[in-house]
Amino acid sequence: MSDDNGQKITSWVDPHDKSGEFKRQNSQFRNFISKKPGSEFPAEKDRYHLYVSYACPWAHRTLIARKLKGLEDIITFTSVHWHMQEKGWRFATSDEQLPGKNVTPDPVHNDFTHLRDIYFKVNPDYTGRFLVPTLYDKKAGKIVSNESSEIIRMFYTEFDDLLPEEYQKFDLLPEKLKSDIEGSNEWTYNDINNGVYKSGFATTQEAYEKAVTALFKSLDRAEAHLASSPGPFYYGSQITEADIRLYTTIIRFDAVYVQHFKCNIRDIRSGYPALHKW
């Protein structure tokens, strides 16, 4: 199976790109759930289904936001099988007993075996990648979004009218910190979240050195921030989007990225005491 550039699903760098750099494709579904009257995708209980992979840090963001905002009874989810193959993410079969909650066949489409089946159902001419997370509208039969940074922001506010007061008041993007959070998001995403992939998927020494140098420079920057922060969270006493977006990479760093993606200048456990404590 290939994408629109003729690349295999499991090939991450365009073979025609002599730079050898991994360049992440933009998510192609960018709709937004809204509580405003007349919205194409209104905030309703049990209307939306979230497809994730426990292996994926981008999908992990959405599970954290879903949990913190108390959306477990409002948005259902399924995790795909952890192993991506030539047809992309597949669903577990009914006879597989795999660890993790909701690692099951697709409960929305009984005859679908792969995440790609949903994409082709929505758009038979789809030519992009089959990404997790994917937020699916069960009533309309449409994909709302496959962009994690936007899915989590829907979860922050758009379902508040359906939630108990304690969750309505739980603010992961407080106005007083929004500019700081969005500023840190930019380099955290480019150099750390995506930086581990740029390092691991680089196909030239130059591309690898460029990515891994930027990665550890920004890890040093996050370490310095946390060392001077009152904590326990990135911006003090309250967990925010900054914590969610950084955490899903850091928790995988020593176990996966140090070895698998060659991000081995230092590990978190012994090289970054403030990040490790955080």
Side-chain angles (χ1 to χ4, degrees):
M1 181 64 198
S2 301
D3 64 12
D4 54 337
N5 294 316
Q7 288 179 250
K8 291 183 177 180
I9 292 296
T10 51
S11 297
W12 302 106
V13 175
D14 184 344
H16 303 296
D17 186 343
K18 300 305 181 183
S19 73
E21 295 180 0
F22 169 65
K23 295 170 182 174
R24 186 174 297 278
Q25 295 181 7
N26 291 328
S27 302
Q28 295 191 28
F29 291 89
R30 307 291 287 271
N31 305 298
F32 209 87
I33 295 169
S34 174
K35 57 187 175 184
K36 293 179 180 178
S39 170
E40 180 183 2
F41 298 102
E44 296 177 3
K45 182 176 181 179
D46 200 32
R47 177 165 177 158
Y48 302 99
H49 194 78
L50 182 65
Y51 293 96
V52 302
S53 166
Y54 289 129
C56 174
W58 317 103
H60 192 183
R61 293 175 172 184
T62 64
L63 289 176
I64 292 173
R66 174 180 174 271
K67 176 70 174 180
L68 291 175
K69 283 295 294 186
L71 295 171
E72 296 102 314
D73 294 331
I74 293 175
I75 299 169
T76 52
F77 85 93
T78 299
S79 177
V80 296
H81 192 285
W82 58 268
H83 188 201
M84 178 188 284
Q85 297 179 310
E86 284 302 321
K87 290 184 177 180
W89 299 111
R90 73 169 177 88
F91 296 108
T93 58
S94 58
D95 60 340
E96 289 179 303
Q97 300 298 317
L98 298 173
K101 186 176 181 180
N102 294 352
V103 186
T104 65
D106 181 0
V108 181
H109 312 92
N110 293 331
D111 58 337
F112 286 3
T113 59
H114 289 75
L115 186 66
R116 67 195 287 263
D117 298 331
I118 299 170
Y119 280 73
F120 288 136
K121 176 180 182 291
V122 171
N123 179 6
D125 298 320
Y126 182 73
T127 56
R129 290 188 177 272
F130 314 109
L131 305 177
V132 288
T134 294
L135 185 61
Y136 181 75
D137 182 339
K138 294 183 284 186
K139 180 183 281 189
K142 296 179 178 180
I143 293 174
V144 180
S145 179
N146 59 0
E147 172 49 57
S148 65
S149 65
E150 294 171 6
I151 293 172
I152 61 177
R153 290 204 172 181
M154 297 178 215
F155 291 178
Y156 295 170
T157 57
E158 299 310 306
F159 294 90
D160 280 357
D161 292 346
L162 306 178
L163 295 173
E165 185 177 2
E166 64 178 299
Y167 290 114
Q168 291 181 27
K169 292 182 176 179
F170 192 75
D171 190 357
L172 287 159
L173 191 64
E175 192 61 37
K176 66 180 181 180
L177 291 173
K178 186 175 180 179
S179 62
D180 290 333
I181 290 170
E182 292 189 333
S184 64
N185 281 349
E186 183 175 359
W187 57 267
T188 297
Y189 166 75
N190 285 324
D191 299 342
I192 299 178
N193 301 141
N194 204 33
V196 294
Y197 290 92
K198 291 177 184 178
S199 301
F201 293 152
T203 58
T204 66
Q205 184 67 23
E206 182 180 6
Y208 165 72
E209 290 181 2
K210 178 182 176 182
V212 83
T213 299
L215 166 63
F216 280 92
K217 182 178 180 181
S218 287
L219 285 173
D220 291 345
R221 185 175 178 180
E223 173 74 9
H225 171 85
L226 284 165
S228 62
S229 172
F233 300 109
Y234 198 85
Y235 283 110
S237 61
Q238 179 181 345
I239 189 171
T240 68
E241 179 177 278
D243 295 280
I244 295 173
R245 290 176 59 128
L246 180 60
Y247 174 79
T248 58
T249 298
I250 298 302
I251 197 64
R252 290 168 169 78
F253 199 88
D254 289 7
V256 179
Y257 303 138
V258 168
Q259 296 87 5
H260 189 56
F261 282 178
K262 304 180 290 295
C263 302
N264 49 20
I265 294 176
R266 287 182 295 282
D267 60 17
I268 301 299
R269 182 169 39 189
S270 61
Y272 291 99
L275 274 167
H276 187 231
K277 180 181 178 181
W278 168 80

